Every structure is written in C-alpha cells, then in structure tokens.
Amino acid sequence: MPKLPTDEDRFRKLVWHGKLPIQISLAKEDRAALLGRASPSSPPVYYVMAHRCSYLSLITDDVKAWLEALERAAPDRPSSIKPTQVWYAFNGAPLKWHYPIGLLYDLHSIRHPPGTVSAKPICTTKLPWTITVHLTNFPADRLLRNPSRDTTHHYFMAQYKEAEFMRAGSTKRVMNLPREDQDRLWAGLTTAEFETFWAVNHGAVNADDKDELPRHVAIRLYSRTDSAVVQVPLPLAELGSRTTVGEAIAYALRPEQFATGHPPKFRPEDESDQDAPYMVVLHGIVVSSTTPLLWLTRNLCYPDNFLHVVLL
Amino acid sequence: MASPPAASDYTSAPSSVTEGPALTVSSQRSAGSTIDEMHEIAQPPEKVVIRFRAIGNAPILKRSFFKITSANKFQLVIQFLRRELNYKAADPLFVYISSAFSPSPDETVENLYRCFKSDGQLVVNYCTTAAWG
C-alpha cells in the first residue's frame, strides 16, 4: 500500500505546481491555409498557464480545439489539423516535445546578462513566454516523431524506468507496481494532481530511507551553448552523501568521462574566462552550487525522477 | 488505456537520414580482443561496443557485436538494427537497454555507454512485441 505524502513534500509540491504562462501564436506560414485569405493581419493567439512539469504534446488537444474554433469562424472547410503533425517553436527553433516545458523554458529563455557570469541569470524574454504553433512541415530531423498523447505516455514511462534503473540498479520496483499504480503516475501527471502521482511515486519508488542512498543520481546536464546533454552516473556512496551539486558537476565533467577527452562547453558564447564557474539552473531558479545533491534528487526532480539541470 | 505505440512511432527517421553517410557502425566479428581492451581504458573510447540480443521471436543477427562512434545518437543504433534485420519502417521493433528500459532515440551512445555499460559493452535487447513496456 503506497505511503501517503506528508508535509515533507513541500518542495516537491512547489516543483509540481510550478507554472509558466505561455502565449501561443499560429505560425505565419500556416495562417492562410487555416484561416483563409481573409485572415487578420495580427496573428490569433492562445494563452495557457502550463505546468512546468508537463509536456507541450499534452497541451496540443487544447491548442487544436482553439484552432478548430478559428477554422470554423473562417469559410467552411473540413478540419485539417493533425495532432501528430503539430509542433512548437521559440524564435524559430523547434521545441522538443519530449522535454518538460519548464526545461524548455530554462534552456531557451534564461540568459546571463551580457559580459558577466557572476551575476544571476536574467531572462531576456518577458512573460508570457511567446512561442509559435506550426501545423505543417514537421521537422522530423530535429524532433522525435508522432507527438501524440500515447507516444508521450510511452516516452514518459520509458524515462521513468531509465531514472529508476540509475537509482536502483534495476527497474524491478516499477515493473512490480500493479497496473493501476503505473496508470496513476500518468493520470497524476496529465491532470496535475500531486497526490495521485506522489502516492505512487513516493511510496513505491521514492521512499526516503535515510540510510539508503540511491545507487546513482539520475541527472542530466544541459548546455544551451552547444546543445550538449551529458548524463553521467554519480555514485553517491562513493562520492559521499554530502556531495554538493557543484562537486557532482565537476566530477561529471572531468575530461576522462568523455570519449574525446573534451567535455562539452557549458558557458555562454561570449565568455572569455576559462575558469568561470557554472551557473546551475533548475526549475527556473538558480541553485547554489553548495546544495547537497542528495537533497536535490529527493526534492527537485521532475516527475520522470531525473534532475534536468541547465548549466549556464 | 491504449497499448503503447510501437517504438517506430517516434524513432523512425526520414529516409534521407536513414540512408545518410553518418552511419559509422562497423562490424566486429571477433569482438573478444576489443572487449579486453575496454577494460584497460578508464576513459570511454570514441567507439564503443554494442551487443545486440534478440528477445522472444525476434530474428537473431548473424553478428551480435558492433562498434559505433559514441558521439552518435541512439537513433542511429535503431536505424542500423532495422537495416540489419531488413525491417521496414512499419514493422514493429522494440529496443531496450540492459533488459530494462527504452532509451530516448536522441540520447547519445556515449551517455548510454557511460551510464549503462556492462563488461565493456552496451547491451541492446530487441524484440517485435513490447517486453519491458
């Protein structure tokens, strides 16, 4: 029987309830086809308060309904919108539907102020986050295909199992969950119901046994500079349970971890100071590099149980 | 709940990529020496050994060891496997690491090797029906 969440969940709740206001406008190249020749000069826009932990492919149903209403308002024509062809872009760059929305924002829209890395990153785009929705020319070379709800579900569970494999050394705890509990994880995520998700995630998979360290911390480091993603197994027992996230990142980016001996660059293009420390961004906030990694992995994971960390 | 879609639903790639010159997988008939070398080298090599294991009714490859440049995405491994099996894009193929989970096709082989290698190999299981969801 899964343990019910407690007060100790307050940081998990803060993460879970993190939201991002998004303004979605229909891409220029799709306007004429959808709205007809008489389309207005200003693009139609749609606003959504999205959960940072959710996925763009999960808001497509709402976006589609909005577009179909516009379509009906235009001269009669059958709906031509195929959800699996819908994609989103920021400043012309396709947005990966399989990344959590919060991670996409952190990657694309948090910047250092020019000429410094020591100051706090500032976001250069004002809220709401302004993105475009596209209905044609799906960039299959840049995005995973077929972003349906089912595909997203399948993808999410695969990632959940991968994180579990890193943390526990096997996926036994997930595979042993009754079908209903596995479904509850997905239901909780898609309805944003904290209790539904965490009743399963907390008790079965994420138990806070104070004596038991995760075998490895499931963490991914993302670089905006060169789009590199680095995943390194961090053996907490070996490194020490008090390992800070700064120390963990230094360990993960040791040259010997990389086939070429050159870790990807994790600093802004305009940075000249080679010894500049990395700025750790998680859920839109700057995390102190002295934060214990163990605390982060217990409290600030995304629902797939990965720490998706952007390094600036 | 609908059954999970076939892996090909998001792993298939445009034909230009499938046929492209990026493929650097080379066959490795006697992999023994290569794997021994792996133990000597602490640093992940630029090319890593992938071992394919068929599950259930999936056809067995003539050779199961291959070397691949670690900077490639896992997508390329899937495409390579499809080609070796002579599978069309519509044929269902499920691919797993360490009999446990399906990695993202846009994950690099280097990351997967670093995190999930076993005895100097990345073990890739494949089957024609979902085995580990």
Side-chain angles (χ1 to χ4, degrees), chain A residues 127-167:
Chain A
L127 294 175
W129 196 36
T130 307
I131 65 175
T132 49
V133 58
H134 301 251
L135 309 176
T136 51
N137 297 324
F138 189 89
D141 54 334
R142 314 260 314 259
L143 301 179
L144 300 187
R145 286 152 83 88
N146 193 18
S148 67
R149 284 182 86 86
D150 277 352
T151 313
T152 311
H153 183 183
H154 180 64
Y155 183 86
F156 173 78
M157 286 311 295
Q159 290 294 296
Y160 191 86
K161 285 171 193 166
E162 179 172 340
E164 174 66 2
F165 194 87
M166 289 198 80
R167 290 151 67 118

Side-chain angles (χ1 to χ4, degrees), chain B residues 6-7 18 35 37 52 54 58-59 62 71 102 106 120 124 127 132:
Chain B
T18 311
I35 289 163
E37 279 167 30
F52 289 110
K62 277 193 206 124
S102 296
D106 78 342
V124 175
C127 45
W132 294 283

Side-chain angles (χ1 to χ4, degrees), chain A residues 115 117 267-276:
Chain A
V117 295
R267 50 174 69 92
E269 299 90 334
D270 57 352
E271 182 46 50
S272 51
D273 179 4
Q274 292 301 300
D275 298 319

Side-chain angles (χ1 to χ4, degrees), chain B residues 66-127:
Chain B
F66 296 90
K67 284 179 93 174
I68 183 171
T69 304
S70 60
N72 281 310
K73 305 264 184 193
F74 190 69
Q75 173 103 296
L76 198 71
V77 175
I78 302 171
Q79 287 164 11
F80 173 77
L81 180 59
R82 281 189 170 275
R83 197 154 48 184
E84 286 293 296
L85 293 169
N86 243 325
Y87 271 28
K88 296 186 204 74
D91 295 330
L93 180 68
F94 295 83
V95 181
Y96 301 90
I97 296 287
S98 303
S99 304
F101 64 90
S102 296
S104 174
D106 78 342
E107 190 64 272
T108 63
V109 172
E110 176 163 35
N111 279 342
L112 293 169
Y113 182 83
R114 198 157 41 215
C115 294
F116 307 112
K117 67 175 180 290
S118 149
D119 289 335
Q121 316 162 7
L122 185 64
V123 177
V124 175
N125 315 93
Y126 62 95
C127 45

